[in-house]
Amino acid sequence: MEKTIKEYGKLTVEQKKEAVELFLIGFGRFMTFSGDEALKKTLFIEIFDPEWFFCYLEGERVLGLMGLGTSKRRPIDFRPEVCRKIFGEKKGRIISKQMNAVFQSKAVNGERDLYIDTLVTDPNARNKGIGSALMEKACSFQVYDAVYTEVFSKNVNAIGFYEKHGFVSVKKEKFSLLRLQGAGYPIKMKKVIA
């Protein structure tokens, strides 16, 4: 079966739905702005950056998803017009403002820094090299000197995965509000691209 990595914008509608499903498997517990899963799926299909999200496919099926960011651009933009269209004027405006405070904040500082914003694989296809293939894609952009990511301290599998790929811990934010959700504290990790 053919294995490829495609930009999100080049996927079919069904594949985009699969990509959003993967995102929600990995990060859905943090998307508490709405209890309506169907509306959240509709939103994410529209707000994923078509050029900065990459999907790992086997045949036609999406088995992995990675969103990349830079010092000027992040891959998830809760655009006000999209949020208002889906959730209504007032709630949409609030969602856009609150979520972009996180998802559009500056993740890296340098012009030659790349940031892995999102990396998730299908739970039924783990340990098959999908995450590694996406990681290789992130490290293949020659215009960047370093790749950064952030993982939560309680996600020991993710920490081990990144360490296996040459990442080292560079910053720990022990006083994060996200600790209240049981994920631990954020750890920023870095890999110098050779």
Side-chain angles (χ1 to χ4, degrees), residues 33-82:
F33 57 85
S34 173
D36 189 324
E37 294 301 312
L39 287 181
K40 285 195 282 192
K41 289 175 186 177
T42 300
L43 175 68
F44 284 109
I45 284 172
E46 291 194 41
I47 65 172
F48 280 179
D49 189 303
E51 297 173 349
W52 285 91
F53 263 101
F54 297 89
C55 296
Y56 178 98
L57 289 89
E58 281 191 9
E60 296 299 311
R61 191 163 169 240
V62 177
L63 296 178
L65 172 73
M66 176 179 66
L68 298 176
T70 67
S71 61
K72 296 186 182 341
R73 187 174 181 176
R74 300 270 308 264
I76 301 175
D77 185 355
F78 286 80
R79 296 186 309 277
E81 69 278 7
V82 176

Side-chain angles (χ1 to χ4, degrees), residues 16 35 47 49 75 88 97 142:
K16 287 179 180 179
I47 65 172
D49 189 303
K97 186 175 182 178
Q142 299 297 311

Side-chain angles (χ1 to χ4, degrees), residues 65-132:
L65 172 73
M66 176 179 66
L68 298 176
T70 67
S71 61
K72 296 186 182 341
R73 187 174 181 176
R74 300 270 308 264
I76 301 175
D77 185 355
F78 286 80
R79 296 186 309 277
E81 69 278 7
V82 176
C83 291
R84 288 193 311 265
K85 179 179 80 174
I86 294 170
F87 292 101
E89 186 65 34
K90 185 177 179 184
K91 186 172 183 178
R93 191 171 8 93
I94 292 168
I95 290 170
S96 174
K97 186 175 182 178
Q98 289 180 342
M99 297 307 287
N100 275 340
V102 174
F103 283 93
Q104 286 298 303
S105 65
K106 199 171 194 174
V108 290
N109 294 317
E111 294 280 325
R112 295 180 55 89
D113 292 340
L114 189 63
Y115 183 71
I116 298 175
D117 222 308
T118 305
L119 180 61
V120 63
T121 59
D122 185 313
N124 298 316
R126 297 226 167 111
N127 299 314
K128 294 185 178 180
I130 295 168
S132 296

